[in-house]
Amino acid sequence: MSYDYLFFRLKRPISSHIEIGSDTIKDLGSVDYVKKWITENFPNIVWTSSGHTIWGVLILDDVRLEIFLGGAEKTILDSFRVGTSYHEHSLKHIQRIADALKLTAFDMQTCDLFSPPATDE
């Protein structure tokens, strides 16, 4: 069974997953841009195109993470999904991705939010 997380960039701080929506999420860029951006931060990712779906497999400390960018026909992404098997040590890798990409992760099972460290913009 897959344990899924949604990654996105916030326009403003939110206090609950209920506030996630088009008025609180910034666009991430094109599929090609997001793919390149993830690859720059995690060069060992292996990308695959299956039909119209683009996804990559990232192995971090023996934890398999599957990153789904969605359909190739999408011009701009506002989020992407990461699936993994649930292991307690998987959470540190979800936080690691959020930190590296400066994104917020939403645990789709528990509704917890993982935010990157605060930065000055």
Side-chain angles (χ1 to χ4, degrees), residues 43-71:
N44 62 323
I45 191 167
V46 177
W47 292 102
T48 302
S49 292
S50 176
H52 294 287
T53 302
I54 297 171
W55 59 284
V57 173
L58 177 62
I59 308 290
L60 297 172
D61 300 333
D62 296 328
V63 174
R64 179 185 171 102
L65 300 128
E66 296 179 350
I67 299 175
F68 297 91
L69 299 184

Side-chain angles (χ1 to χ4, degrees), residues 8-9 13 15-17 19 26 34 41-43 50 53 55 57-58 72 77 82 86-87 100 102-103 107 111 118 120:
F8 49 86
R9 178 170 289 130
S15 58
S16 165
H17 69 282
E19 297 177 67
K26 293 182 184 180
V34 173
N41 284 277
F42 299 96
S50 176
T53 302
W55 59 284
V57 173
L58 177 62
L77 295 178
V82 175
Y86 180 75
H87 299 287
K102 295 181 178 45
L103 297 176
D107 183 324
C111 297
D120 296 328

Side-chain angles (χ1 to χ4, degrees), residues 88-108:
E88 194 168 313
H89 59 279
S90 297
L91 295 178
K92 75 176 182 180
H93 297 302
I94 296 302
Q95 187 67 59
R96 182 174 166 189
I97 294 169
D99 291 350
L101 301 177
K102 295 181 178 45
L103 297 176
T104 297
F106 170 61
D107 183 324
M108 297 172 75

Side-chain angles (χ1 to χ4, degrees), residues 68-81:
F68 297 91
L69 299 184
E73 72 283 353
K74 285 189 119 181
T75 54
I76 300 294
L77 295 178
D78 61 4
S79 63
F80 61 87
R81 183 174 56 87

